[in-house]
Amino acid sequence: MADQSIEPALIIKDATKTFGKKTAVDHISFDLFPGEVFGFLGPNGAGKTTLIKMVMGFIRPDEGTIIINGFNRKTHYEKAMSSIGGIVENPEMYANLSARLNLKMYARLHDNISDERINEVLEMVGLSERADEAIRKFSLGMKQRIGLAQSLLHRPKVLILDEPTNGLDPAGIHQLRDILKHCAHEEGVAVMVSSHLLSEMQLMCDRIGIINKGKLLQICSIEELMNQANGSIYRIKTSDPVRAKKILSESYDHSITHLTADTLDIEIDESQINECVRVLINGGSDILGVQKVESSLEEAFLEITGGGIDIE
Amino acid sequence: MSKILALYHNEMIKFSHQLLVWALIAIMSVVTILASTFYVKMNGEEEFVMDQVDKSSITASYDSAKEQLGDPNRFVKHSTIRIQTSSDVIELFSTYYDFGEDEEATKNLYNYLNMSICSAMLVNYDFDKYPITQTALSQNAYAEYTLAFRSLIYHNMTPFGERDSAWYDEYCLINQELEFARSALFNHNYKDYVEAIKLHYSAYPITDTLDIQIQSRIAEVDVNGEMSVSETLHLNEILVNYFIAKDCLLKGAEFSGGSYTPLTESRRADLEDAVQILDYQLAHHSYASYENSNASQSVMFGISLGRLFLIVLAIIIAGSSISNELATGSIKSLIIAPVKRWKIFVAKLLAILTWILGGGFLITLLSTICVGCTQGFSSLLPYFYVSGGSVKSIPFLLFAFLYFLASSIEMLVYVLVAFVISCNSKNAGAACGISTALIMSGEIINLFLEGYGRHTWMDFLPYYNMDITSKVFSHLPLCGQQTLDSGLLSESSPIGLSLGFSTIYLIILTITLLWIAYDGFVRKDIQ
């Protein structure tokens, strides 16, 4: 969906951060384009939050350049930061102040944000009616919403959300997804989302970056990621999978991925399935059914990161 | 700049939404009001009260004196005096009192004489208009008049034969003295009283010029003799110091510890300024009177008690300003905002300062108003100082606030310590606790050091450089802030360090602390 010919909204070049001996972020470079939702995926401790904190100004990179909306963060800090909005970890605000006052205070730090805009974002996240209550009375989901409202207040060019679905109810997640898609696709905001909920990513993101142990392993679209799983998996139902495996082991040894009491998963190309079934029947195995199993993002992910993903 | 203002605005909103802040401000205000209103009642010096002198009391005293003495004529003796002239011998009769060895009778007679004199001389005195106990002049002139009257009577007891030209000169003097004293008492003219005591002292070989000088100065201020006894005593006290100061300047040396020590350059300048200010104050009738002194000290007492709570407030505000935000995570919305981190730092510091200075001004204003309402606003003297050779003054409220600032340096340092810890830790409790503990341990260390005596190296301890009040305001006694004995004539800076040294010392201390705070918040990563 991203138009690669236009100027990136966020450029990260060689970003590196070391804490003691541990390199949390290791020479990461990527571009984020207006109008796309970019998913940032990685196991716990992969460096997602460190990278986000680096972009948002919490942590100084040891090395590397961050350019936001054409402004280098180092030399034009305020101009660069005025184009960025987001939530890092949990949204936390001044608990004893009302949601509206929190937004007003945040608005004051930006240029030209009207009270109408505050009402608009409150409306957008569905908090208009409770805007004058103190934040401390809010549930985590409501805090997420108000955090989102704050992030969107100044119409940022880059929106960065760290695990935004945390604490949201299904309706809230749905709403969030709509808001993010609206922002990206209609308003041309470059959205970066980190999450460990892969299913979420699948529904939300246009592109995905996979990070592990501080290194950016791959950037690809959802389709590309799913195709990486070398073809499709076919589940063959048979009364004796062990025997079936023996029959197939001569020609398809490396393709058998999974075995249960009555099924056998085999990862082969669509063109090969005919031959495979023939081999089984010739070998004397009975076939009760053949079913194509969709390859999932998780499997692709596990393959790329070499396991260790936290799957809910 | 606009970003700093916006951040500052936000900081002020945050603080103003804390219940604790308002609770402490309320307590602080109440304490200040009570302390400044009741200071005089709690601590007020005793009024100088004299026995009532009026017509009936004089009559009563006269009657009792007469009764105790009995018939005065029983002591009268007659004698014949034989005077040998060149051609003749004249015999004259003389009358005199003779008590023999009877001390009791002598005492009674003196008492009787005194009371009869009083009774006689005050026949036409308007006690209702000028009650003798109320004004200093009536009291002094009354005493002087009685004294002169008595002198005259005793003088007249000299047997004729012993009266010579010296006797006659003295007779004239006493008559003059009596006349001045009478005029002073009956016309309420202080200048006449001064004339009377000048004549009185002229009879003695060693004349107390200081008293005459002082009384002349009082006469200039209190021409119509309307000042109260305590007020005059206070003025007297001021003038004693004033003339001693003048004397020191004249001699170029100061009498202390049993010997004269030469005046240092700064000490001389100090004394010269003090004398100039006093001249100005006396000329403008705005020297620190008894009432001024009470009023001024009431205000300062209110401020000093209110400040105890301001310290608590300031330490809580400074100690929690950053660490609380780090702990709750609300710092995030500041970091994400398009503002450089040093601006956040500056805005927070400014906001803390605003609350402290605002609180300081509040307690200054409250105690000034309370004292003004209870003791009269006119009793709050401005602060006088010498600049460019002429005497200038600043209004009391401003002076009181500046005094608050100068005396709050120590507090500001401890607040800064709390802020430093706050910048470096998520633990607001630690920030408040450690700085409070520092205050207490500082007090304890000072307690020990005081017992240890003064040494040169102590000049470099923070404690001895933090109280710059007496260094900034070198003429506090002149506006009633301290008793004159402790101020005007003793060294104005009890610690042998100059204002310049203390200022540089404090600037270095402040910059160091600010740098640690800056390093902790601006340069470090926020996890």
Side-chain angles (χ1 to χ4, degrees), chain B residues 420-440:
Chain B
V420 167
I421 301 168
S422 177
C423 284
N424 286 286
S425 157
K426 286 185 178 181
N427 194 339
C432 301
I434 290 173
S435 40
T436 313
L438 267 181
I439 295 180
M440 289 193 230

Side-chain angles (χ1 to χ4, degrees), chain B residues 146-199:
Chain B
T146 325
L147 201 68
F149 214 124
R150 216 160 46 217
S151 309
L152 190 66
I153 289 172
Y154 294 149
H155 202 65
N156 279 335
M157 283 184 186
T158 312
F160 289 126
E162 294 166 27
R163 295 179 187 185
D164 51 12
S165 64
W167 177 89
Y168 180 70
D169 289 344
E170 205 179 325
Y171 173 79
C172 290
L173 271 179
I174 295 170
N175 258 320
Q176 253 181 307
E177 185 189 338
L178 190 66
E179 204 41 54
F180 276 121
R182 186 179 192 283
S183 167
L185 183 63
F186 280 71
N187 302 327
H188 310 284
N189 187 328
Y190 216 117
K191 287 220 157 74
D192 283 348
Y193 168 68
V194 176
E195 291 306 315
I197 58 165
K198 273 185 190 166
L199 290 169

Side-chain angles (χ1 to χ4, degrees), chain A residues 17 19 53 56-60 75 77-79 81-94 96-97 101-102 104-106 108-111 150 154, chain B residues 2-3 5-11 13-14 17-19 325 327-343 348 522-527:
Chain A
K17 182 74 192 180
F19 297 116
K53 279 187 169 175
M56 304 283 252
F58 287 72
I59 294 174
R60 277 162 201 270
T75 53
Y77 185 86
E78 288 181 0
K79 276 183 181 158
M81 288 304 286
S82 65
S83 312
I84 206 165
I87 305 174
V88 177
E89 289 170 330
N90 296 317
E92 273 135 343
M93 295 188 183
Y94 302 102
N96 55 342
L97 307 185
L101 190 52
N102 263 295
K104 267 192 179 167
M105 280 165 54
Y106 186 68
R108 201 170 283 129
L109 305 178
H110 289 273
D111 301 322
Q150 190 191 51
H154 53 295
Chain B
S2 63
K3 297 275 188 193
L5 284 179
L7 283 164
Y8 172 75
H9 190 164
N10 286 351
E11 289 303 319
I13 291 177
K14 284 178 221 166
H17 277 76
Q18 285 181 26
L19 196 64
E325 294 221 29
T328 62
S330 57
I331 193 87
K332 287 174 191 171
S333 46
L334 280 176
I335 300 294
I336 293 170
V339 283
K340 287 190 172 169
R341 223 176 289 173
W342 68 264
K343 292 185 180 174
K348 279 195 178 286
V522 179
R523 291 159 49 108
K524 278 188 189 146
D525 295 332
I526 291 170
Q527 295 295 333

Side-chain angles (χ1 to χ4, degrees), chain A:
Chain A
M1 209 114 9
D3 184 353
Q4 304 282 326
S5 67
I6 57 167
E7 187 82 359
L10 170 70
I11 302 170
I12 297 174
K13 256 188 254 169
D14 278 334
T16 303
K17 182 74 192 180
T18 337
F19 297 116
K21 279 184 183 169
K22 192 190 160 219
T23 307
V25 172
D26 192 358
H27 294 90
I28 288 184
S29 303
F30 71 93
D31 295 347
L32 189 62
F33 291 91
E36 70 168 338
V37 180
F38 184 86
F40 211 30
L41 214 54
N44 287 344
K48 282 176 302 192
T49 301
T50 305
L51 183 69
I52 285 178
K53 279 187 169 175
M54 224 142 80
V55 176
M56 304 283 252
F58 287 72
I59 294 174
R60 277 162 201 270
D62 294 338
E63 272 177 58
T65 318
I66 294 164
I67 294 166
I68 305 163
N69 197 28
F71 293 106
N72 189 327
R73 242 270 311 280
K74 213 165 194 172
T75 53
H76 299 84
Y77 185 86
E78 288 181 0
K79 276 183 181 158
M81 288 304 286
S82 65
S83 312
I84 206 165
I87 305 174
V88 177
E89 289 170 330
N90 296 317
E92 273 135 343
M93 295 188 183
Y94 302 102
N96 55 342
L97 307 185
S98 74
R100 193 185 300 279
L101 190 52
N102 263 295
L103 291 185
K104 267 192 179 167
M105 280 165 54
Y106 186 68
R108 201 170 283 129
L109 305 178
H110 289 273
D111 301 322
N112 306 320
I113 296 180
S114 63
D115 283 355
E116 285 81 62
R117 176 62 186 165
I118 292 175
N119 290 332
E120 202 179 301
V121 290
L122 282 168
E123 187 73 39
M124 198 190 288
V125 298
L127 278 177
S128 295
E129 281 168 25
R130 303 189 62 182
D132 295 310
E133 281 179 35
I135 297 271
R136 65 168 178 274
K137 294 179 187 161
F138 283 15
S139 65
L140 180 58
M142 285 168 73
K143 283 182 185 162
Q144 284 285 9
R145 284 159 191 253
I146 194 72
L148 185 64
Q150 190 191 51
S151 314
L152 294 171
L153 195 59
H154 53 295
R155 301 180 198 277
K157 298 277 190 293
V158 180
L159 180 64
I160 297 178
L161 303 174
D162 195 7
E163 312 197 351
T165 52
N166 235 358
L168 286 181
D169 54 17
I173 293 173
H174 189 80
Q175 207 176 356
L176 173 78
R177 208 181 293 144
D178 288 348
I179 291 172
L180 293 187
K181 280 186 173 166
H182 173 85
C183 284
H185 303 157
E186 310 296 324
E187 291 180 22
V189 178
V191 181
M192 187 162 104
V193 184
S194 87
S195 176
H196 52 248
L197 284 176
L198 298 173
S199 51
E200 271 305 322
M201 289 284 192
Q202 220 164 346
L203 291 168
M204 237 190 268
C205 303
D206 304 312
R207 278 202 305 158
I208 282 175
I210 294 162
I211 183 172
N212 195 20
K213 289 175 185 159
K215 285 202 166 75
L216 185 63
L217 300 173
Q218 191 171 7
I219 298 179
C220 55
S221 67
I222 293 284
E223 292 81 20
E224 282 168 352
L225 183 66
M226 284 161 76
N227 286 342
Q228 273 186 14
N230 294 331
S232 309
I233 290 172
Y234 289 87
R235 181 161 294 167
I236 298 163
K237 201 168 182 189
T238 170
S239 57
D240 190 354
V242 179
R243 187 165 167 221
K245 191 188 171 195
K246 210 176 239 173
I247 296 163
L248 286 173
S249 62
E250 280 171 28
S251 42
Y252 300 103
D253 192 27
H254 300 293
S255 305
I256 296 163
T257 57
H258 197 64
L259 217 60
T260 64
D262 59 349
T263 64
L264 177 143
D265 289 356
I266 182 162
E267 194 180 309
I268 45 173
D269 226 42
E270 201 170 3
S271 56
Q272 289 175 296
I273 187 70
N274 222 6
E275 179 60 28
C276 176
V277 171
R278 188 176 298 130
V279 171
L280 271 177
I281 292 170
N282 289 348
S285 177
D286 58 335
I287 291 181
L288 304 171
V290 178
Q291 187 194 0
K292 189 179 177 182
V293 182
E294 284 292 334
S295 113
S296 76
L297 199 54
E298 271 132 44
E299 276 160 74
F301 186 83
L302 280 171
E303 195 173 297
I304 292 165
T305 60
I309 180 79
D310 171 28
I311 303 167
E312 288 194 8

